[in-house]
Amino acid sequence: MREQITILGVPIDNITLEESGEITKKLILESHKTCKMIFAPNTEFVMKANKDKEFFDILQQSDLSTPDSVGIMLGAKMQKKKFKQRIPGQAYFREVLRVAEKEGFTVYLLGGMPGIPEKTKENVLKSFPNLKIVGTHDGYIEGEKEREVIEEINQLQPNIVFVAMGAPKQEKWIYQHRKELKVDVATGQGGTFDYEAGRIKRAPKAIQKMGMEWLWRLTREPKRIIRMSVLPVYVIKLFFKKDKTKGKFEPIKAE
Ligand code: UDP
């Protein structure tokens, strides 16, 4: 039985980082290429989902959803609940790679600008030298290219495909193609490859621990301010809709 906390209608699993790796392993072993869906909701996700019914409905159907941000922790706190642990996207990525290396699971990296998934592969292999990364492709695959990539993935039949195209694009992509993808699990990774490839630097550990990485990212990528302008609205919504139930879509009006 999954223990979940629902934040503005989006169900999120209450698990530790270690459990996230174990559950992913279990999903892979049970899947038989049925493309289980793993998502990592953060504050922006939840806000986008409350304006976009398609995205909202997709998030209801995850096989695992990890709590990715400080805002998600706050959402639980305002319901007098508590997540066991915050699981930043990159930490989850690395935990799954650790499990994959140990278990011999194969991995495909899809997303980011050309060169980024290849550089990600090169860098993660330094930490996990026996990991089987069987393929990579950038995340700009409109039209013909998309078909080719799906065919390549289906030939390789990896256990895990990491899809890093940003939200909600990656979740919609996984959902739309889940029936044809011959993979065990597909998971949305946002900007993780950009960090792993060294394109964007993560905040120093002390800042990460303080839960202030969002502020660090803002100083690095000022255009994020537009995306972050949803945060005050998020807090207000949390305040007024503390216990909104799973699966109930009540659109938030565009501000
Ligand atoms: N991206 C992609 N295909 C697209 C649009 C975006 O592969 O069509 C990539 C982009 O290069 C970047 C990532 O998706 O690496 C989005 O990162 P962002 O920081 O926006 O994601 P977040 O972690 O905030 O969800």
Side-chain angles (χ1 to χ4, degrees):
M1 207 10 208
R2 287 164 77 178
E3 187 199 333
Q4 295 180 311
I5 299 176
T6 299
I7 311 292
L8 297 184
V10 176
I12 303 174
D13 292 271
N14 188 8
I15 51 170
T16 63
L17 177 62
E18 201 184 336
E19 286 166 344
S20 74
E22 284 162 16
I23 296 167
T24 304
K25 175 180 159 186
K26 191 165 170 278
L27 288 172
I28 290 170
L29 295 175
E30 289 171 359
S31 170
H32 306 295
K33 305 291 175 218
T34 55
C35 192
K36 305 282 184 198
M37 299 187 294
I38 302 180
F39 305 134
N42 60 26
T43 313
E44 288 172 28
F45 262 61
V46 168
M47 288 300 280
K48 280 182 193 161
N50 275 269
K51 291 179 189 160
D52 176 348
K53 185 159 185 335
E54 185 194 354
F55 187 34
F56 187 91
D57 288 343
I58 291 171
L59 293 177
Q60 307 300 318
Q61 296 175 57
S62 78
D63 294 287
L64 175 66
S65 283
T66 54
D68 187 7
S69 76
V70 176
I72 296 297
M73 302 291 116
L74 177 70
K77 213 171 178 180
M78 287 176 78
Q79 300 175 42
K80 302 209 168 21
K81 294 176 183 168
K82 194 172 186 297
F83 281 104
K84 290 180 190 170
Q85 193 179 353
R86 180 167 77 91
I87 305 181
Q90 197 180 11
Y92 174 73
F93 180 60
R94 291 224 149 215
E95 178 63 11
V96 174
L97 294 185
R98 189 186 68 73
V99 171
E101 185 189 44
K102 187 161 169 256
E103 301 296 327
F105 294 146
T106 55
V107 169
Y108 190 101
L109 305 178
L110 172 62
M113 290 185 287
I116 293 293
E118 292 75 19
K119 187 76 188 152
T120 300
K121 174 177 174 178
E122 193 186 313
N123 287 350
V124 297
L125 284 176
K126 289 178 196 156
S127 307
F128 307 103
N130 296 319
L131 181 66
K132 293 180 199 148
I133 301 181
V134 293
T136 57
H137 202 286
D138 67 76
Y140 298 85
I141 51 169
E142 270 80 39
E144 282 280 291
K145 204 78 227 132
E146 182 174 75
R147 228 3 56 225
E148 284 171 28
V149 169
I150 292 174
E151 270 163 31
E152 180 181 79
I153 293 174
N154 284 346
Q155 260 168 23
L156 295 164
Q157 302 200 13
N159 296 109
I160 312 158
V161 58
F162 291 98
V163 186
M165 300 178 183
K169 190 164 190 175
Q170 60 204 11
E171 290 74 22
K172 288 185 178 178
W173 194 87
I174 292 170
Y175 184 78
Q176 277 156 13
H177 298 291
R178 73 195 188 289
K179 297 221 164 113
E180 57 179 328
L181 282 170
K182 293 190 185 123
V183 304
D184 291 320
V185 304
T187 168
Q189 283 301 303
T192 300
F193 297 173
D194 289 328
Y195 289 109
E196 291 289 354
R199 197 179 82 80
I200 301 174
K201 291 264 169 298
R202 277 204 75 178
K205 285 266 177 310
I207 295 181
Q208 288 181 35
K209 276 204 181 122
M210 283 158 68
M212 299 301 275
E213 191 162 20
W214 60 273
L215 191 58
W216 166 271
R217 285 185 86 173
L218 196 57
T219 61
R220 295 294 163 121
E221 301 169 81
K223 62 178 186 331
R224 279 188 170 266
I225 193 101
I226 298 162
R227 292 165 59 165
M228 286 188 175
S229 61
V230 299
L231 294 182
V233 185
Y234 174 71
V235 175
I236 293 166
K237 293 286 166 197
L238 285 177
F239 193 76
F240 286 108
K241 295 186 178 182
K242 283 183 195 157
D243 278 306
K244 198 173 153 186
T245 50
K246 178 181 170 179
K248 203 163 157 230
F249 180 70
E250 289 170 25
I252 291 176
K253 292 200 174 55
E255 58 285 344

